[in-house]
Amino acid sequence: MAFLLRRAVTRAAAAAVAATLSAGLAACGNGDGNGDDADGLKAGRLVGLLLPEDGTRQERSVRPAMEARVAALCEDCRFRYGNAAGDAELQKQQFDDLLTRGVDVIVLGAVDPDGTASWVTEAAEQGVPVVAHDRPARGDIDAFITYDSHRVGQVQGEAMLAVLGDEAEGAPLVMMNGPAADPDAAAVKAGALDVLTPVVDLVLDRDVERRDPAVASARMTEAVRELGPDGFAGVHAADDRIAAGVLSALRAEGVPGVPVGGQGAGLAALRRIVTGEQAFTVHTPPARQAEITAEIAVRLLDGEDFADLAADRITTPTTEDVPSALLEPVAVTLGTLEEAVLADGTYTLGELCGGAYADACAEAGIRPPPPAGGPSARPQGVSGGSAGT
C-alpha cells in the first residue's frame, strides 16, 4: 500500500496557507525537530508525528525515540510533532497543518481511530503515506505498529498462574475486564482466557466501563460481598487503572494479600509492585515501538520494502490486510522490574524510588536513588512522566 507518488502541491503553494493552520501544532506546545523553521517549509523531507495525549509514557518516550531514529536513518529529514491532548478536532487541525506544510509521511496515534478515514484518504490523494501508531486508524493506512493485545492477555494469564504457583489448579479467580464494546479489551480478555480457562475456576467475570478505577472499585466491592473474602484466590484486572480500583476495594473490604495483576506499567502501578500491593503488570516498551515505527516511516519515504519489520497483518473496519508489527509485551514483577522497565529508560530509578518509596525500594533490593545529578538523572530536555495508574 505504499504511496510512492509524491503530491503535486508545491512547497510554495503550501506556504501561502500554512499560517492559517499552524495554530493546530502550536496550541499544545508542540514543537519542531531537526531544525524545522517557523513556517515548517525548509528544504528536506518532513516527517510528522501526531500523538493523542500529553503527560504520558507515550509522549515522553515516543517522541524522543522516534525523532532520534529518524535523524539516524535520514540525513535530509526534518521532524514535526503535534500533541492533541485528547482532542480529536485539534488533532484534525494538526493533521491538516502537516499536509499544508508539505509533509512527506505522517505517523498518527489517533485520538479517535474511528474518525480518521477521511483524513487518511486526503493524505493518500496527496501521495502522503500514513503509519498508524499504537491505535489502528481507519482508512487505507500503510502500516500499523502496536503491541499484540491478544498476547498481552496471554502474558497476563501466564503471570497470574506463576504467582498462584502450586495453588493455581482449580483456584477461584475473578476477572475485571475493560469495556465490553472495546475491541482491544476483548482481545486482552480472549488472550487471558486462553491461558487461564484450562487451569483456574473463573468464579466471576465483570466489565469495567471506561476503565474507570471508581467503577472497578464498585465492581470489586460487589464481588467481595457476593463471593465472600475467602471466595477468590486472585483478580485478573485488564489494566493498571482497573487494578488500582480493585486494590482500593480490597483494602476497604479488609481483604489483604490477594494477588492482583494489570497491564500498562505506569509509575503508580510499578510503585504498587515495589510496595507489594500489586503482583505484576505488563510492559509494552514505547521507545522500542517508536523506533520500529520510525524505520517503517523512513522506508516508505525511500520507497523501500518494510516487510521484515511488519510481517503481521490486521484487518480494520475499513481496510483488509494492513501490514503490521505486533510486538511482544513483557511481564513485570518485583523480580524483573529493574531489567524490564528501568533498563530501557521508561522510568529512572529516582522516579520510581524517590521520596516515600525509598524505603520500600531498599527493602525490595532495588538500589536507593543516587544523589541529584547522579548517573540515573534524566538528561536535560526530556521531561518527567505522569504517575499514571
Side-chain angles (χ1 to χ4, degrees), residues 213-240:
V215 175
S217 181
R219 296 281 184 274
M220 194 65 226
T221 299
E222 294 167 2
V224 172
R225 295 175 183 177
E226 177 179 339
L227 299 170
D230 299 319
F232 52 99
V235 182
H236 163 89
D239 64 20
D240 290 333

Side-chain angles (χ1 to χ4, degrees), residues 25-92:
L25 285 174
C28 289
N30 303 314
D32 309 325
N34 295 348
D36 197 18
D37 62 10
D39 59 12
L41 300 172
K42 285 178 65 176
R45 295 179 293 176
L46 179 59
V47 176
L49 168 63
L50 300 180
L51 291 181
E53 298 160 352
D54 56 6
T56 65
R57 288 190 313 141
Q58 287 287 334
E59 182 190 30
R60 86 96 165 260
S61 298
V62 168
R63 179 187 179 181
M66 193 174 297
E67 188 168 356
R69 189 62 178 153
V70 167
L73 295 170
C74 181
E75 292 184 358
D76 69 329
C77 282
R78 297 171 293 118
F79 190 91
R80 191 163 182 86
Y81 165 72
N83 190 297
D87 186 335
E89 291 185 6
L90 175 59
Q91 189 169 66
K92 179 60 165 69

Side-chain angles (χ1 to χ4, degrees), residues 205-305:
D205 185 342
R206 294 288 185 269
D207 298 327
V208 177
E209 298 88 346
R210 303 181 304 282
R211 304 178 188 269
D212 187 336
V215 175
S217 181
R219 296 281 184 274
M220 194 65 226
T221 299
E222 294 167 2
V224 172
R225 295 175 183 177
E226 177 179 339
L227 299 170
D230 299 319
F232 52 99
V235 182
H236 163 89
D239 64 20
D240 290 333
R241 284 172 52 82
I242 293 172
V246 166
L247 288 164
S248 175
L250 292 177
R251 286 193 300 271
E253 294 297 309
V255 186
V258 174
V260 177
Q263 64 110 346
L267 186 56
L270 297 174
R271 286 172 168 171
R272 290 194 296 268
I273 290 174
V274 170
T275 60
E277 286 185 278
Q278 186 165 324
F280 63 86
T281 185
V282 175
H283 183 37
T284 53
R288 177 183 170 218
Q289 182 180 358
E291 289 168 356
I292 293 172
T293 304
E295 186 155 353
I296 289 174
V298 171
R299 289 199 197 179
L300 282 166
L301 285 179
D302 294 335
E304 295 179 357
D305 184 77

